[in-house]
Amino acid sequence: MGVYAMHIFDRKGKTLFTKRYAKASGAAAQGDDEQLSEQRKLVFGMLFSLREMVGSLAPSGDIKDAGLHSVRTGAGTLHNYETTSGLRFALYTTNISTSQNTSIRGALKHVYTDLWVECVIRSPLYVGSSQGNMNIASTNFEQKLDAYLSSMPWYK
């Protein structure tokens, strides 16, 4: 399985982190930034819309872990993990077997609980998304994320 991109959004849709792992063939360097910006908007919009639809279709009552976990298209699969604070972790991959979806969801949960919280939230430079911009590059989050994802058996 190939990993195309990783996106992290806050509850309002602001992009907190984005990294592209596999580039589209033949894309120009200048067009990459525009294409990535457009991809972030589309991914968040799709996650937001589908989450609302899933919420309206779900039976009433408090169902633990109900929600949107992944969306599979002809081009790839978008895996989603949403925290109680509203952060959304989205991993866009090639299509995989359904048995690996649980593994990827667990990996996204690990990215939040062990990498994001340790490297970003507990950083003395962290100011919160509503108070200003934080440079994620000033933490070692990206290096730990790359090391963790490359250690996964489904990563190529």
Side-chain angles (χ1 to χ4, degrees):
M1 176 188 87
V3 174
Y4 294 131
M6 173 82 174
H7 304 286
I8 302 175
F9 305 102
D10 69 1
R11 70 176 70 188
K12 296 179 182 177
K14 179 181 173 191
T15 303
L16 302 177
F17 177 81
T18 294
K19 179 154 186 190
R20 179 178 285 171
Y21 289 93
K23 296 193 186 247
S25 61
Q30 181 184 17
D32 276 354
D33 290 339
E34 293 173 13
Q35 186 181 15
L36 190 58
S37 174
E38 189 65 26
Q39 183 185 36
R40 287 191 305 252
K41 292 174 190 173
L42 291 172
V43 166
F44 181 78
M46 183 177 71
L47 288 175
F48 181 81
S49 299
L50 288 175
R51 181 181 177 268
E52 294 298 315
M53 186 177 71
V54 166
S56 67
L57 294 176
S60 60
D62 194 19
I63 300 173
K64 187 178 187 266
D65 205 28
L68 180 66
H69 296 227
S70 66
V71 177
R72 185 177 181 151
T73 67
T77 303
L78 182 66
H79 305 275
N80 179 50
Y81 177 74
E82 186 170 352
T83 68
T84 54
S85 61
L87 291 178
R88 292 182 178 148
F89 291 76
L91 185 68
Y92 185 52
T93 66
T94 56
N95 286 329
I96 60 165
S97 66
T98 56
S99 63
Q100 290 179 323
N101 278 345
T102 307
S103 170
I104 294 175
R105 183 155 170 80
L108 288 174
K109 185 175 181 179
H110 174 81
V111 168
Y112 170 66
T113 58
D114 294 336
L115 302 180
W116 184 261
V117 170
E118 292 296 320
C119 298
V120 178
I121 302 298
R122 292 187 180 168
S123 170
L125 302 174
Y126 180 73
V127 292
S129 62
S130 63
Q131 299 172 354
N133 292 335
M134 181 193 169
N135 185 6
I136 302 300
S138 64
T139 68
N140 59 353
F141 172 74
E142 188 171 350
Q143 293 83 15
K144 288 189 175 187
L145 175 67
D146 292 343
Y148 177 70
L149 288 179
S150 62
S151 72
M152 299 307 291
W154 39 260
Y155 181 84
K156 286 184 184 174

